[in-house]
Amino acid sequence: AVLAHQLSGPKWLEVLLLTALLRDSGRPGIHRFCTSLQTDSPMVSLSRPLARVLLLCGLGSAQAVSVEIDAMKHDIQQITMSNFDGVISKFRDSAVSSLWFFKGDNKADVSFLDEYNKVAADLKGMAKVCAISCTDWPLFCEKQGVKETPAVMIYPTNPMPAFKYEGKMESKGVLAKVARFIPDFTTKVTKENVDGFITTDPTKPKVLLFSNKKTPPTIWKALSSETVFKRTVKFGFVSEEDKDVVQKFKVKKFPTVLMQRGSKAEIKETYSGEMKFTPLKDWVNLHSESGMGDKVAGAGAGKEEVSIEEAKPWLVQEVPELTAKSQGDVCFKGEGLCVIYLKEGEITQAETDMLTGLSKKFTSQLSDRGAKMKWMWMNLAIETEYKTLFEPAMLPSAVVFNPHKRLRFTKLDHGEDNEVEGDEQSLTNLLDKVLGGDARFKMVPGQKLPGWAKRDAKKTEL
């Protein structure tokens, strides 16, 4: 503009303007140049060609568009060549990142801005969604092999290499590709491993997502792989199809998030906030404490972590199984009578619920009498020596075992013709007889317990 003011005659000015337009057409600089000439030029009259040029300048200014990433409006993190390592490379061991290479004056990049911002909004806090200007940092883009924009590079966690996104430049495709590489440290919780999951590593809170989906959602994977949480909290995923686990936790709607914590998982809490990453993270964070190393103390920690081999699932089960490992904690140590439900095979959730209801009923009745009953079940298909000892007329059945001083037990009476089934009513009758002093107890021969079955020491799948 200063040069234009110094030139005399419209010809020189026309040449200058046209040259600038050809060189800078579509760039923000030409619009500032045009505006300067329109407002600051001292010329009184213009030639017709020059007037047309200025008219084109005015139209170009009105229609100008460029990529402008505003931190107040967008969730995209714009980076530079100098901080690429600090934002992305430094965190490759734990975080997934995407990087959009753009040119400020490229119409395709302008159109892609809103699409890419949808990705950033949906993955906020879960992945690094970044952008870099190839207008400002052309050498960096060239070094990264970017020749055309828009282009998106995805950086999975190490050791997976970075790669260029090849799909449609739409939010749905980019989002799916980035989310696919978010590490998943969740545990698929089933009937077989639920108790081991809850009791292993007692210092770590256990957070369970009950879902009508078959696989963990992106939010759950991101929470499980969060830098602090992956060392201090255990995240479980329960599908609606795992009905035994769903019934065990009495979940009625999906999705539901539950937390259990404490040395015996005695503290239970249900999440009531929004099913979004940030509020879920804040809620979990209340019960997680950061630290260094693999053995990090969670909230309420004070004891050394227990390994999977030392897990005691029976401590948190409403009706635990009586086995060689559990018998001391469950029955034979401590006060009270042992109510043992006898099965030929595994106990069902319906039977567990029945026994739990009876336990609560008789606990309230005995609260003022100083008596105590402990409830459990035994698989006689495995504990065959106890089947010989108890000699049940039919199964399922039950015995009440007194493990103190003299070992003795009394059995459920199935009637002369075995017409009485081992159900809630017959169990109630048995306990009423015991509490009323009418039950007849049989001594254990030799006052020595039978041998326990040896079970394979297999780890619970976590």
Side-chain angles (χ1 to χ4, degrees):
V2 172
L3 179 61
H5 285 200
Q6 301 299 319
L7 293 173
S8 59
K11 296 289 185 182
W12 282 99
L13 192 54
E14 289 175 23
V15 171
L16 179 63
L17 276 171
L18 290 171
T19 301
L21 280 171
L22 289 172
R23 186 188 64 203
D24 292 327
S25 178
R27 298 187 183 181
I30 186 59
H31 304 301
R32 291 194 293 271
F33 178 55
C34 290
T35 302
S36 174
L37 285 179
Q38 289 173 322
T39 56
D40 299 332
S41 178
M43 293 181 294
V44 176
S45 61
L46 301 172
S47 69
R48 287 181 181 178
L50 180 57
R52 286 196 294 270
V53 169
L54 287 178
L55 178 60
L56 287 172
C57 281
L59 290 174
S61 297
Q63 296 176 351
V65 287
S66 62
V67 176
E68 297 288 344
I69 299 176
D70 186 344
M72 300 299 292
K73 293 167 52 180
H74 301 108
D75 293 302
I76 303 167
Q77 181 179 359
Q78 187 167 353
I79 66 172
T80 66
M81 181 177 71
S82 58
N83 69 359
F84 169 81
D85 288 338
V87 175
I88 293 179
S89 298
K90 182 180 178 181
F91 297 96
R92 287 288 307 278
D93 286 336
S94 59
V96 177
S97 305
S98 66
L99 182 60
W100 166 35
F101 296 82
F102 70 89
K103 291 181 179 177
D105 57 359
N106 184 4
K107 290 182 179 179
D109 283 301
V110 173
S111 299
F112 186 59
L113 173 59
D114 288 341
E115 289 293 311
Y116 193 63
N117 192 58
K118 291 177 185 177
V119 178
D122 287 347
L123 294 178
K124 190 173 183 178
M126 295 180 266
K128 293 175 178 287
V129 181
C130 307
I132 189 167
S133 170
C134 291
T135 304
D136 296 333
W137 309 102
L139 292 178
F140 178 81
C141 296
E142 183 178 339
K143 186 178 178 181
Q144 297 296 315
V146 176
K147 297 179 180 179
E148 296 181 355
T149 63
V152 174
M153 289 288 290
I154 295 177
Y155 301 84
T157 55
N158 288 324
M160 288 182 284
F163 63 92
K164 182 181 178 183
Y165 171 72
E166 299 291 351
K168 290 185 178 181
M169 301 305 285
E170 298 175 353
S171 59
K172 183 178 180 180
V174 178
L175 175 63
K177 184 63 73 172
V178 176
R180 177 183 173 186
F181 289 95
I182 293 177
D184 183 4
F185 291 101
T186 64
T187 297
K188 172 69 173 174
V189 178
T190 63
K191 176 184 177 182
E192 288 72 28
N193 70 357
V194 58
D195 296 318
F197 173 79
I198 293 296
T199 57
T200 304
D201 298 331
T203 62
K204 296 180 181 180
K206 314 302 186 302
V207 190
L208 290 161
L209 170 63
F210 294 82
S211 172
N212 52 15
K213 309 295 184 184
K214 292 186 178 181
T215 57
T218 301
I219 287 178
W220 210 241
K221 293 194 298 181
L223 284 168
S224 74
S225 59
E226 196 271 340
T227 306
V228 174
F229 290 168
K230 70 180 180 182
R231 300 194 306 268
T232 61
V233 181
K234 297 183 70 173
F235 289 84
F237 177 78
V238 183
S239 172
E240 183 181 12
E241 295 176 352
D242 290 299
K243 298 189 182 300
D244 288 327
V245 183
V246 172
Q247 292 176 14
K248 178 183 178 69
F249 289 91
K250 298 177 175 58
V251 171
K252 302 296 183 184
K253 65 176 183 177
F254 304 91
T256 289
V257 174
L258 300 177
M259 177 187 289
Q260 285 197 221
R261 61 187 189 277
S263 59
K264 295 184 179 180
E266 70 277 9
I267 304 171
K268 301 178 183 180
E269 188 174 346
T270 302
Y271 176 70
S272 58
E274 288 185 284
M275 289 294 176
K276 294 184 177 179
F277 179 81
T278 300
L280 273 166
K281 179 183 176 183
D282 292 342
W283 180 70
V284 174
N285 195 49
L286 292 173
H287 308 291
S288 170
E289 294 180 1
S290 62
M292 299 297 291
D294 290 331
K295 284 194 173 182
V296 180
K303 298 181 180 179
E304 186 176 343
E305 289 189 6
V306 179
S307 68
I308 179 61
E309 289 80 10
E310 296 169 322
K312 295 183 175 182
W314 52 84
L315 294 179
V316 296
Q317 293 169 336
E318 293 176 320
V319 182
E321 183 181 1
L322 190 59
T323 66
K325 287 187 176 182
S326 69
Q327 50 93 10
D329 294 326
V330 169
C331 177
F332 296 104
K333 292 181 181 179
E335 300 177 353
L337 300 174
C338 304
V339 182
I340 308 173
Y341 184 69
L342 305 176
K343 277 292 299 282
E344 185 86 28
E346 295 290 324
I347 193 171
T348 67
Q349 187 60 45
E351 290 171 320
T352 300
D353 292 341
M354 173 194 72
L355 296 172
T356 301
L358 287 173
S359 172
K360 292 178 180 178
K361 173 184 174 182
F362 281 95
T363 297
S364 62
Q365 291 181 9
L366 297 172
S367 59
D368 298 329
R369 297 171 54 178
K372 183 178 180 181
M373 287 185 173
K374 295 178 287 189
W375 296 71
M376 63 213 67
W377 72 281
M378 179 180 283
N379 187 347
L380 295 184
I382 297 175
E383 302 295 344
T384 55
E385 292 197 32
Y386 280 86
K387 185 174 185 180
T388 302
L389 171 66
F390 295 139
E391 295 181 314
M394 59 186 294
L395 292 170
S397 187
V399 298
V400 176
F401 199 104
N402 187 336
H404 308 293
K405 295 182 181 179
R406 293 178 297 168
L407 300 177
R408 55 198 187 277
F409 63 92
T410 184
K411 301 195 296 184
L412 187 152
D413 184 2
H414 289 282
E416 293 184 3
D417 299 319
N418 292 337
E419 73 278 6
V420 179
E421 296 183 353
D423 55 17
E424 183 174 355
Q425 185 57 56
S426 60
L427 278 166
T428 300
N429 295 339
L430 170 63
L431 294 172
D432 285 340
K433 286 175 64 177
V434 171
L435 295 175
D438 300 324
R440 296 183 62 180
F441 281 80
K442 178 181 179 180
M443 293 294 180
V444 174
Q447 288 296 287
K448 184 179 180 180
L449 290 173
W452 296 93
K454 292 182 179 180
R455 307 193 184 203
D456 293 335
K458 57 183 180 180
K459 293 185 178 183
T460 305
E461 181 185 349
L462 295 181

